[in-house]
Amino acid sequence: MVDAPALSVEGLTVKFADRGGDLTAVSSLDFELARGETLALVGESGCGKSLTALALLGLVNPPGRLEGRAIRLDGRDILGLRGEAMRRLRGNRIAMIFQEPMTALNPVLSIGAQIVEAIREHERISRPAARERAVALLDRVRIPDPRRRFDDYPHRLSGGMRQRVMIAIALACSPSVLVADEPTTALDVTIQAQILELIDELKRETGAAVLLITHDLGVVAEHADRVLVMYGGCKVEERATADLLRTPLHPYTRGLIAARPRLGVDNGFRARLTEIPGMVPSLREMPRGCRFAPRCPLAIDACRIAAPPLIPVGAGGSVACLRIEESRVSEFASGGAGAS
């Protein structure tokens, strides 16, 4: 018998009530995440990545609401859970590393007290035992001298150390799913690499599934098993990382990869980068049909009439485009092919 995925999302839709009617921020999103796997969620700002993460943890507040068929965590549908039932899972079976630890951590509590709180919220354990586990967690995420650092406040730590504390809190109850929302924002490149390697190492040790939200395709190439590309709240392409970066099929994916600066190409960094024309549409002005059509060099009338279906490609991949073959040689291709 094949084990159920750690996370299975079916038809996730996030809507916000508005005076002119509902605004759909995430539309009919489907994906699965296996234990020990990293799925990267990529796309421009405003495409729905972070909102998807918040929806998984039940953190979308009114006027927002969730719809869909199911969000299955370890086989249990949690889509309709509210209040205390959701709080018992959040930080326990599914946990999140937020973008900015200085705003996510409580400035008036020591880092050790915050880890202890996360442990005792979900487990019946004495305070001294929770303290010892918190010290062990700080050591596990490579905080120097963890027993002394236990009583430090967030403002006394560097950005990289604060992010390690966030990871320790997220791992405190050994979650099945770890959501990492831009976990290296505002960190220098050396610390970024250390944090991402730490997440990979802990994933291997615990078997947790990781949903990695990022803008950095270099990070995707190094750390993700699969990639899900979002645009305008919709999935436009999902494939194995190596396949997607080698031969992207959706025009939007090709545009993202072509826009990467590449050292030693086109006279170093001095040449103008390839860009995707136009801007991400607002929720109030979402186009009919394919949401990328107004910016797509390959769009035809059929693209503007109805949303394209997800077409299966390769082993477990899919792409939502009526013109896959034409996309292979689009105007983005010269800058995008062969990226890694």
Side-chain angles (χ1 to χ4, degrees):
M1 179 179 177
V2 178
D3 288 341
L7 181 69
S8 177
V9 176
E10 301 175 14
L12 175 62
T13 298
V14 182
K15 294 183 177 181
F16 288 88
D18 186 69
R19 287 173 297 180
D22 287 340
L23 303 176
T24 303
V26 176
S27 180
S28 300
L29 186 63
D30 295 324
F31 65 87
E32 289 188 350
L33 187 52
R35 291 169 177 81
E37 179 185 38
T38 297
L39 172 66
L41 203 57
V42 303
E44 291 170 278
S45 295
C47 72
K49 305 186 302 298
S50 293
L51 190 57
T52 296
L54 294 174
L56 296 177
L57 278 83
L59 295 175
V60 176
N61 296 318
R65 70 178 189 276
L66 305 186
E67 298 179 359
R69 295 185 299 279
I71 299 175
R72 292 190 173 88
L73 179 63
D74 292 328
R76 176 189 179 188
D77 188 1
I78 64 171
L79 180 60
L81 294 187
R82 299 290 185 271
E84 182 61 26
M86 191 65 205
R87 281 194 294 273
R88 285 198 296 268
L89 293 176
R90 189 189 304 127
N92 185 11
R93 306 313 307 147
I94 181 168
M96 187 165 180
I97 304 170
F98 292 92
Q99 288 188 36
E100 178 45 67
M102 197 58 195
T103 57
L105 293 172
N106 189 329
V108 300
L109 291 179
S110 70
I111 61 171
Q114 294 182 64
I115 301 173
V116 166
E117 181 182 35
I119 295 170
R120 299 193 75 208
E121 176 69 22
H122 298 291
E123 298 182 23
R124 291 184 177 180
I125 183 173
S126 69
R127 190 172 293 276
R131 179 187 176 95
E132 287 304 307
R133 191 196 293 185
V135 171
L137 282 164
L138 290 174
D139 182 58
R140 190 178 191 184
V141 298
R142 301 174 194 161
I143 297 287
D145 196 1
R147 198 168 295 278
R148 181 178 64 83
R149 287 290 195 176
F150 180 95
D151 294 314
D152 279 350
Y153 289 84
H155 71 272
R156 299 189 63 184
L157 302 180
S158 67
M161 290 296 106
R162 287 193 293 264
Q163 194 61 282
R164 291 172 190 272
V165 172
M166 285 293 302
I167 295 171
I169 293 172
L171 291 173
C173 296
S174 302
S176 297
V177 177
L178 183 62
V179 180
D181 186 4
E182 296 281 358
T184 57
T185 297
L187 301 179
D188 66 59
V189 291
T190 302
I191 303 301
Q192 284 183 28
Q194 292 174 1
I195 293 296
L196 291 166
E197 287 169 6
L198 175 61
I199 292 173
D200 282 350
E201 179 182 318
L202 295 171
K203 178 189 71 172
R204 289 191 294 269
E205 290 178 4
T206 65
V210 177
L211 181 64
L212 176 63
I213 298 172
T214 182
H215 289 92
D216 191 332
L217 293 176
V219 167
V220 170
E222 290 290 328
H223 299 278
D225 301 296
R226 291 185 298 118
V227 188
L228 191 159
V229 183
M230 292 185 70
Y231 182 82
C234 297
K235 175 167 70 173
V236 297
E237 187 166 358
E238 180 184 7
R239 295 167 66 209
T241 301
D243 294 340
L244 182 138
L245 294 177
R246 187 185 307 112
T247 56
L249 297 177
H250 196 281
Y252 179 62
T253 310
R254 298 196 71 90
L256 288 179
I257 295 175
R260 291 181 63 199
R262 293 168 296 144
L263 185 61
V265 178
D266 297 329
N267 196 25
F269 289 119
R270 291 189 291 274
R272 184 179 178 88
L273 293 174
T274 303
E275 62 185 51
I276 303 174
M279 297 183 67
V280 176
S282 72
L283 294 183
R284 290 187 175 87
E285 298 174 346
M286 203 61 70
R288 289 183 58 199
C290 175
R291 295 183 174 186
F292 186 60
R295 305 174 69 188
C296 181
L298 301 177
I300 56 177
D301 289 344
C303 300
R304 300 181 179 92
I305 295 172
L310 282 164
I311 301 169
V313 291
S318 61
V319 59
C321 182
L322 299 177
R323 310 200 70 199
I324 297 175
E325 294 305 319
E326 292 83 356
S327 175
R328 295 179 189 273
V329 291
S330 74
E331 67 179 57
F332 293 136
S334 61
S340 63

